[in-house]
């Protein structure tokens, strides 16, 4: 099953299994082993990849998402050839650069310089080719004073910086990146994202595994969702990650404990006029609480895309009465784009003790328009609408004198994008034509 060109990935009906975790060797375990020796036990194996099948085109950026133990890292190791599938075929065209583990592909007793040349040799590059890119690697990894030190004396962050720089700057046809980017600080993470954007522009194929869904959505146009080794979804990152966030919320609702002195026994989320929640319209949240005793405290309401990290968070101090009571919260001009969201609640007493743990209480849909597009590999931490007015200022000419002429378009978030002149009243006085 050969690929047609460098950078293409073809994964066909791949299965992978490991020996099941061994329990502590007690006397009972030995007795059970003897009694079952003659049986063909299926539970001796754990299947970590189950009939995984997909293709990736040259220059495409694909994210792999899933919970811990879903098979993401195993899939990357199968792609690099570190592991072999039990069944199925994997074919990758061209050189493969991989950053799967912090010290992956590097030897602790070699220096950073020596590891760089060894890695380049493994990629099939000559020493001259590695030497031509060596200064870029050292500068990006910020290791000019440590490049001749043995790798075992590097910190985790230093090892990760060198590993990513070597994998990304030796210009592989396929770049595989695992969650190890989480080791770096925010500044280096953004540099890594910028470098991934550059290699994509050079035609490199990217497979990116991460729990940072914002980074994945910013970098990858396509995502694959793995769960217990099974592909649950393969499509646009926006749609796949939205489904994954909904699954996270559902799991949290089923498994997070909500025991406390306060409980939410009723929730409704609607527009203030009773319609469907919409962007830039008032949102009315109606809560029914039941408290075991009266106390003073604070109630927090958060809205997220499914995870426990809210995009919007509001709170108020209040007196909680014993028994059942209703509380309403209105958020004016809801800045959220269209999509599915989760409502999270938390209540605490005046002395900081938990009355009701942080937990998802309801889900709701928001109608409206999408967010403005963001540059690739630029992570949007706050996915909210911000109203803006734009004007193009033409340079001075003989026809209009020295006064710039404002032109542009206005975004109407309630009905999509409709180009039209900006109303004169919205143009600053000093920019209006005279």
């Amino acid at each position: 099953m050969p690929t047609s060109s460098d950078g293409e990935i073809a994964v066909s009906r791949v299965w992978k299994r490991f020996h099941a975790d061994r329990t502590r060797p007690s006397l009972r375990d030995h007795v059970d082993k003897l009694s079952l020796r003659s049986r063909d036990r299926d539970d001796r194996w754990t299947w970590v990849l189950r009939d995984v099948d997909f293709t990736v085109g040259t220059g495409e950026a694909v994210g792999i998402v899933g919970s811990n133990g879903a098979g993401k890292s195993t899939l990357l190791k199968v792609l690099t050839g570190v592991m072999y599938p039990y069944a199925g075929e994997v074919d990758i065209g061209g050189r493969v650069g991989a950053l799967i583990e912090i010290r992956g592909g590097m030897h602790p007793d070699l220096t950073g310089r020596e590891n760089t040349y060894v890695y380049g040799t493994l990629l099939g590059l000559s020493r001259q080719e590695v030497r031509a890119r060596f200064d870029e690697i050292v500068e990006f990894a910020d290791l000019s004073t440590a490049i001749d030190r043995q790798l075992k004396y590097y910190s985790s962050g230093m090892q990760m910086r060198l590993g990513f720089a070597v994998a990304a700057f030796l210009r592989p046809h396929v770049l595989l990146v695992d969650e190890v980017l989480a080791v770096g600080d925010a500044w280096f993470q953004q540099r890594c994202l910028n470098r991934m954007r550059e290699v994509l522009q050079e035609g490199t194929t990217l497979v990116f595994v991460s729990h940072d869904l914002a980074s994945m959505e910013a970098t990858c146009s396509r995502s694959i969702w793995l769960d217990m080794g099974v592909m649950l979804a393969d499509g646009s990152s926006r749609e796949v990650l939205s489904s994954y966030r909904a699954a996270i919320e559902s799991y949290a609702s089923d498994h997070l404990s909500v025991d406390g002195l306060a409980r939410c026994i009723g929730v409704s989320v609607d527009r203030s006029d009773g319609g469907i929640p919409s962007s830039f319209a008032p949102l009315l949240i109606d809560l029914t609480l039941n408290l075991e005793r009266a106390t003073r405290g604070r109630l927090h309401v958060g809205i997220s895309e499914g995870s426990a990290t809210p995009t919007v968070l509001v709170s108020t101090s209040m007196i909680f009465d014993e028994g059942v009571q209703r509380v309403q919260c209105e958020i004016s001009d809801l800045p959220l784009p269209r999509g599915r969201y989760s409502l999270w609640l938390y209540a605490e007493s005046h002395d900081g003790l938990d009355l009701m743990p942080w937990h998802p209480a309801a889900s709701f849909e928001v109608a409206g328009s999408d967010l403005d597009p963001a540059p690739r590999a630029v992570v949007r931490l706050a996915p909210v609408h911000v109203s803006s007015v734009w004007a193009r200022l033409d340079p001075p000419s003989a026809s209009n004198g020295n006064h710039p002429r404002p032109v542009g378009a206005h975004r109407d978030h309630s009905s999509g994008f409709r180009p039209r002149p900006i109303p004169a009243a919205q143009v600053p006085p000093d920019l209006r034509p005279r």
Side-chain angles (χ1 to χ4, degrees):
M1 189 181 60
T3 54
S4 58
S5 63
D6 290 339
E8 289 189 355
I9 301 174
V11 178
S12 178
R13 309 294 300 272
V14 165
W15 294 72
K16 179 64 179 176
R17 66 180 187 177
F18 295 129
H19 277 287
D21 295 335
R22 295 182 178 180
T23 58
R24 187 172 55 187
S26 62
L27 177 60
R28 180 175 179 177
D29 295 328
H30 288 295
V31 172
D32 291 341
K33 183 177 180 180
L34 290 173
S35 64
L36 296 173
R37 176 174 292 178
S38 61
R39 301 182 186 179
D40 182 14
R41 298 176 57 199
D42 293 335
D43 59 354
R44 290 183 302 172
W45 301 97
T46 298
W47 291 97
V48 292
L49 294 176
R50 304 166 182 257
D51 201 26
V52 175
D53 192 283
F54 64 90
T55 59
V56 181
T58 302
E60 191 174 0
V62 179
I64 309 291
V65 68
S67 59
N68 290 330
K72 306 183 299 298
S73 295
T74 300
L75 176 59
L76 287 195
K77 291 177 181 178
V78 170
L79 292 179
T80 59
V82 175
M83 293 180 177
Y84 293 96
Y86 173 78
E89 296 183 66
V90 174
D91 193 42
I92 300 181
R95 297 191 303 271
V96 178
L99 187 60
I100 298 178
E101 297 176 355
I102 292 177
R103 198 183 285 173
M106 298 189 179
H107 197 286
D109 292 331
L110 299 180
T111 66
R113 182 186 302 272
E114 292 167 338
N115 271 297
T116 300
Y117 280 94
V118 170
Y119 197 106
T121 301
L122 294 175
L123 285 178
L125 299 174
S126 65
R127 291 185 63 85
Q128 290 76 16
E129 289 176 305
V130 177
R131 187 180 300 115
R133 301 163 190 170
F134 184 78
D135 290 341
E136 287 182 299
I137 293 172
V138 175
E139 189 278 330
F140 184 87
D142 195 19
L143 292 174
S144 58
T145 60
I147 194 64
D148 291 311
R149 188 185 307 164
Q150 286 179 300
L151 199 74
K152 61 185 177 183
Y153 298 119
Y154 282 21
S155 67
S156 296
M158 294 167 68
Q159 292 178 35
M160 188 274 298
R161 295 203 307 269
L162 179 62
F164 181 87
V166 171
F169 278 87
L170 291 182
R171 291 173 173 81
H173 297 104
V174 176
L175 179 61
L176 310 176
V177 181
D178 203 349
E179 186 62 44
V180 290
L181 287 181
V183 177
D185 55 28
W187 172 78
F188 187 74
Q189 287 178 14
Q190 185 57 54
R191 292 188 70 196
C192 291
L193 291 172
N194 291 341
R195 181 56 190 165
M196 284 193 281
R197 180 179 64 244
E198 292 172 3
V199 299
L200 286 170
Q201 292 172 349
E202 294 169 358
T204 298
T205 302
L206 173 68
V207 179
F208 183 32
V209 170
S210 179
H211 289 289
D212 186 348
L213 303 187
S215 296
M216 182 174 294
E217 189 169 355
T219 307
C220 304
S221 57
R222 171 187 168 196
S223 291
I224 294 173
W225 176 10
L226 283 180
D227 183 61
M228 301 296 290
V230 178
M231 282 181 55
L232 293 186
D234 180 1
S236 71
S237 291
R238 179 71 177 173
E239 296 175 355
V240 172
L241 297 184
S242 178
S243 299
Y244 178 63
R245 291 184 179 106
I248 294 175
E249 181 219 340
S250 177
Y251 182 87
S253 299
D254 295 339
H255 293 82
L256 286 181
S257 173
V258 293
D259 294 334
L261 295 177
R263 290 189 303 112
C264 180
I265 59 176
V267 182
S268 68
V269 183
D270 301 289
R271 211 164 60 185
S272 294
D273 59 7
I276 299 175
S278 304
S279 304
F280 293 102
L283 183 72
L284 184 64
I285 302 169
D286 194 313
L287 306 174
T288 303
L289 306 178
N290 188 9
L291 284 93
E292 296 183 5
R293 59 179 174 83
T295 185
R296 292 184 295 109
R298 194 168 190 89
L299 179 64
H300 303 261
V301 175
I303 300 175
S304 80
E305 292 181 301
S307 66
T309 307
T311 302
V312 175
L313 180 64
V314 294
S315 65
T316 184
S317 298
M318 61 181 299
I319 297 176
F320 296 100
D321 297 326
E322 182 178 353
V324 177
Q325 66 182 104
R326 287 182 60 191
V327 179
Q328 283 190 342
C329 171
E330 183 177 76
I331 300 176
S332 60
D333 299 329
L334 184 69
L336 299 177
R338 69 180 180 91
R340 181 180 178 85
Y341 295 91
S342 301
L343 185 76
W344 289 69
L345 301 178
Y346 173 76
E348 60 182 331
S349 63
H350 65 282
D351 51 0
L353 299 179
D354 287 355
L355 297 176
M356 179 170 55
W358 181 247
H359 71 284
S363 300
F364 63 97
E365 299 280 345
V366 172
S369 58
D370 289 324
L371 293 172
D372 292 332
R376 171 173 264 178
V378 174
V379 180
R380 191 186 339 238
L381 293 181
V384 296
H385 280 307
V386 177
S387 297
S388 60
V389 175
W390 293 73
R392 187 186 69 204
L393 306 182
D394 291 341
S397 64
S399 60
N400 61 11
N402 293 325
H403 304 294
R405 180 171 59 88
V407 295
H410 172 74
R411 176 175 289 277
D412 183 348
H413 291 281
S414 63
S415 59
F417 186 78
R418 297 183 302 175
R420 67 173 186 264
I422 299 176
Q426 297 182 12
V427 178
D430 57 332
L431 297 181
R432 295 176 186 171
R434 294 185 176 86

